[in-house]
Structures are given as C-alpha cells and as structure tokens.
Amino acid sequence: MTLSAKPTIQEAKEEFENRIFELAAPLLEKLFNEYTKIPDQTDSPDAAILLSKPPKRFGVKASVKIGIEITSVDPHWYLAYSNDKKYGASLVSEQTSRTFDQGIVDDNPTKKVDVPIPQNFIFDGVIGKAKKYESYRSQSKFDEIILICFSDVIWVRNEIFKYGLSAWTDYLLSQAGFPFDKVIFVSPRDYDPVPVQIYDKKTNKTKRPPPYQYPDAT
C-alpha cells in the first residue's frame, strides 16, 4: 500500500489561496470579463489571470494580465491563537465546521476569544500590503494588480460589514492612497459566500462615511 505524502506548507498555502480565488471568481468575471488563470503564478503575487476579452478601459491591448495578491485581514494575534496546533486542533476544526456549516453552536467551545471589530478592522489588515505593490508593478508584466482579502471573523452578510466596515474601509484606503487597483472581500466561512468589491483606486472616496455604529463590536 502506498501512503500519500502530506502536502508541504507551500502546497497547503497554494491550495487555500486557490479556494479564496474561487470564491472571488464570480466577481472577477464581472470586473474583467472572460479570463484564464495563469497556473504557474503562485507567488509574488499569489495569482494572476490573463483576460480573454479585456474591458474597454484597457484600450486595444491584445494581452492584458492582472496580478492578484491574497491575504487575511484578521489580526496576527488571533491567527496565531486560532491556528495553534497544540490546542486540540482536530476538535476545534470539528466545532468550527458545525458552527459555520450547520449553525450549531457548541455549549463548551474548545477555543473562545473576543476579537474587536473597529472601523479600521479591514484597513489594518491590508494596509501593510501597500509596500508590495511597487515591487510587483516594477516587474512590468501586470496591467493591474488587485487584492483579494478574507476573514474568519467578519463576513459579507453581517450587518457590521454591510452598514459600517465596507464604507469605512473604502474611505480609509482612499485617504491612504492605497496603491492596489481594486480590493475584493470574500467570506470563506459564510453560508452563501458573495464576493464584494470594497475599494477602487479610480473612484477614491473623499466624503467621510456616517459615524461607525459598532465601536464595541466583537
């Protein structure tokens, strides 16, 4: 009997990023029309697509390539805690799946932590990627470079996202001159994940959103 080898860290990373990419795929097609994912682009940035029918904004270029960076917006301390393999990882995974996939909340969760969700929650999670944009752009092989971000803490249909985080993220990134052409948010834990564009460099928001209504949300 031949035992299959465990995936390497890089292979596991690429597999997860492929999952996030697939969640964003419906919106990518709306933004860029038909495209083909470039299989050998897996790092710096994490993915890329070649457009089959580029939108008019790209002019008459025959070949248009979009670079894609993929990142979590969750705080590093939370990721370290939730990914701690020494603390009942298999049980945590089972409980998490029951909660998100079946709506069953365990009376005695193996892990419990309050994660504050201020108005800059997503902004803080992506702003550090700004420094990578220039290095990607200097390669001169991408016509646009976008960012796909995700979270285990907040999701698209949550009212905090819909009525607060989305608008505030757009505004804060605009004020900071975030260099990525677009930012897409997806929810890998959502029952019905719907990708949402939360920033477009070409339509910078200068008007301050209404006051954030969830300063104490966790």
Side-chain angles (χ1 to χ4, degrees):
M1 181 176 66
T2 302
L3 298 177
S4 58
K6 290 184 178 180
T8 65
I9 293 176
Q10 181 61 26
E11 288 171 339
K13 173 180 178 291
E14 290 176 11
E15 181 180 350
F16 183 76
E17 288 172 349
N18 284 335
R19 179 186 170 205
I20 299 300
F21 177 92
E22 290 302 322
L23 291 177
L27 182 53
L28 292 177
E29 190 165 350
K30 288 183 180 180
L31 294 173
F32 299 109
N33 299 333
E34 295 179 18
Y35 65 82
T36 301
K37 189 178 182 185
I38 301 173
D40 59 354
Q41 181 67 51
T42 59
D43 195 24
S44 300
D46 301 307
I49 56 177
L50 185 64
L51 306 191
S52 305
K53 298 179 180 178
K56 293 181 179 179
R57 68 178 181 274
F58 293 106
V60 296
K61 292 190 66 173
S63 178
V64 175
K65 190 181 295 186
I66 309 298
I68 301 173
E69 182 75 356
I70 299 173
T71 190
S72 169
V73 302
D74 296 335
H76 293 302
W77 63 264
Y78 165 79
L79 293 174
Y81 177 73
S82 64
N83 293 328
D84 182 5
K85 303 302 182 186
K86 298 179 181 179
Y87 196 77
S90 60
L91 182 56
V92 170
S93 178
E94 291 173 9
Q95 290 181 343
T96 302
S97 296
R98 285 198 298 270
T99 300
F100 286 108
D101 299 337
Q102 303 173 40
I104 301 173
V105 180
D106 201 295
D107 291 334
N108 296 295
T110 303
K111 285 191 172 188
K112 182 178 180 180
V113 62
D114 288 332
V115 181
I117 308 175
Q119 63 194 35
N120 55 325
F121 181 81
I122 296 177
F123 172 83
D124 287 349
V126 303
I127 193 62
K129 291 289 183 178
K131 58 189 177 184
K132 288 194 171 186
Y133 178 86
E134 285 306 323
S135 65
Y136 297 162
R137 193 68 175 176
S138 65
Q139 299 174 27
S140 301
K141 64 179 182 179
F142 299 114
D143 296 276
E144 284 187 1
I145 304 173
I146 69 171
L147 181 73
I148 299 176
C149 61
F150 62 93
S151 172
D152 278 344
V153 174
I154 196 74
W155 56 98
V156 168
R157 295 185 301 170
N158 185 285
E159 68 173 38
I160 300 173
F161 177 86
K162 291 193 295 183
Y163 306 121
L165 272 185
S166 181
W168 271 97
T169 301
D170 194 359
Y171 174 74
L172 292 171
L173 290 176
S174 295
Q175 293 301 297
F178 194 62
F180 282 81
D181 293 278
K182 301 179 190 302
V183 177
I184 294 171
F185 181 83
V186 300
S187 311
R189 294 294 191 182
D190 209 343
Y191 294 114
D192 183 22
V194 177
V196 176
Q197 179 176 307
I198 54 175
Y199 172 75
D200 187 330
K201 184 167 64 175
K202 293 181 179 178
T203 58
N204 278 2
K205 297 296 186 296
T206 57
K207 184 178 179 181
R208 190 178 178 87
Y212 186 67
Q213 301 296 314
Y214 312 95
D216 300 320
T218 61

